Amino acid sequence: QKEVEQDPGPLSVPEGAIVSLNCTYSNSAFQYFMWYRQYSRKGPELLMYTYSSGNKEDGRFTAQVDKSSKYISLFIRDSQPSDSATYLCATGTTDSWGKFQFGAGTQVVVTP
Amino acid sequence: DGGITQSPKYLFRKEGQNVTLSCEQNLNHDAMYWYRQDPGQGLRLIYYSQIVNDFQKGDIAEGYSVSREKKESFPLTVTSAQKNPTAFYLCASSISLAGGNEQFFGPGTRLTVL
């Protein structure tokens, strides 16, 4: 079983809709949670970084962490065609020494 | 501009050849990493380095080698012992290996074995 599970999609939404992405993880020791955006044939770009449970908002992006359910989410409001990309979640612990666990990524397509 | 550069962008290799992928960063980060990305799979860690002249094997180090002679450089060699080397290779760096430090990625190198 993978430590981080993520639906591969593709997830297709019309422009302006809310995009809802999620990951589940198995290790309750995970404390750090990240979302990366990756355009085709490019390197991942860090979008959101959260520590422990709770919500974090940055512009159109909101990240949620529910440690009791081992569930992390990313919401994109007012989606744009430029949001079409693959979104990767990642987690780690304080003693993981940089060894994050990555999900396989969810492909998002925002149609005009 | 601070960042991570990888070269070449595309690389073609014949079976039996070794190839070296370049990774350079000017972020003054101590820690550097190499990942492999295959379709439908998460990033898999090949090697990581905490400091100059020190590096550790990741989850899939067989068939790969690295060096860390300079803080800003972390080249990856894909040897002929790697049985399935066709993949997208990503280099990353972070301030240190301490838990929780964000990793920043380069643009990647796509390696194809002919």
Side-chain angles (χ1 to χ4, degrees):
Chain A
Q1 180 188 2
K2 294 180 181 179
E3 292 204 70
V4 181
E5 298 279 0
Q6 191 174 4
D7 190 319
L11 176 64
S12 184
V13 300
E15 183 176 357
I18 295 174
V19 176
S20 176
L21 302 165
N22 56 75
C23 288
T24 58
Y25 61 93
S26 57
N27 188 347
S28 58
F30 287 142
Q31 299 163 292
Y32 299 91
F33 306 92
M34 290 141 285
W35 284 97
Y36 287 85
R37 176 176 63 195
Q38 185 176 24
Y39 292 114
S40 182
R41 298 187 175 87
K42 303 290 185 183
E45 170 194 9
L46 182 65
L47 273 181
M48 300 288 282
Y49 178 98
T50 55
Y51 172 74
S52 197
S53 287
N55 294 0
K56 182 175 182 178
E57 189 173 317
D58 184 1
R60 295 184 298 114
F61 299 92
T62 300
Q64 287 184 352
V65 176
D66 183 349
K67 292 194 72 180
S68 62
S69 301
K70 301 191 187 72
Y71 196 86
I72 58 176
S73 303
L74 178 71
F75 300 97
I76 308 174
R77 292 182 298 279
D78 188 24
S79 58
Q80 305 295 313
S82 59
D83 294 325
S84 298
T86 296
Y87 291 79
L88 308 171
C89 61
T91 71
T93 67
T94 52
D95 59 357
S96 60
W97 292 104
K99 295 179 70 175
F100 294 145
Q101 298 296 324
F102 286 85
T106 298
Q107 183 186 2
V108 172
V109 179
V110 180
T111 54
Chain B
D1 286 337
I4 302 173
T5 57
Q6 291 184 243
S7 62
K9 187 174 182 179
Y10 299 98
L11 186 56
F12 298 91
R13 189 195 93 171
K14 293 182 180 179
E15 287 193 15
Q17 285 183 335
N18 294 351
V19 291
T20 297
L21 283 57
S22 170
C23 177
E24 303 275 334
Q25 56 98 0
N26 61 5
L27 300 167
N28 200 33
H29 286 171
D30 283 326
M32 297 187 74
Y33 314 81
W34 274 105
Y35 290 91
R36 171 182 173 139
Q37 187 174 36
D38 295 282
Q41 298 194 41
L43 302 182
R44 292 185 291 169
L45 184 63
I46 304 172
Y47 268 98
Y48 61 104
S49 169
Q50 181 176 353
I51 200 169
V52 172
N53 293 324
D54 179 73
F55 46 84
Q56 305 295 327
K57 292 182 179 180
D59 300 320
I60 56 164
E62 185 176 352
Y64 300 97
S65 66
V66 295
S67 64
R68 186 91 186 272
E69 297 177 0
K70 296 186 296 182
K71 183 176 183 177
E72 59 270 23
S73 179
F74 192 39
L76 173 75
T77 297
V78 184
T79 74
S80 58
Q82 171 48 238
K83 298 305 179 187
N84 185 22
T86 294
F88 191 48
Y89 290 87
L90 289 160
C91 178
S93 72
S94 62
I95 292 173
S96 73
L97 281 186
N101 283 308
E102 301 97 313
Q103 293 185 14
F104 298 91
F105 286 84
T109 292
R110 185 166 299 277
L111 173 62
T112 303
V113 174
L114 303 175

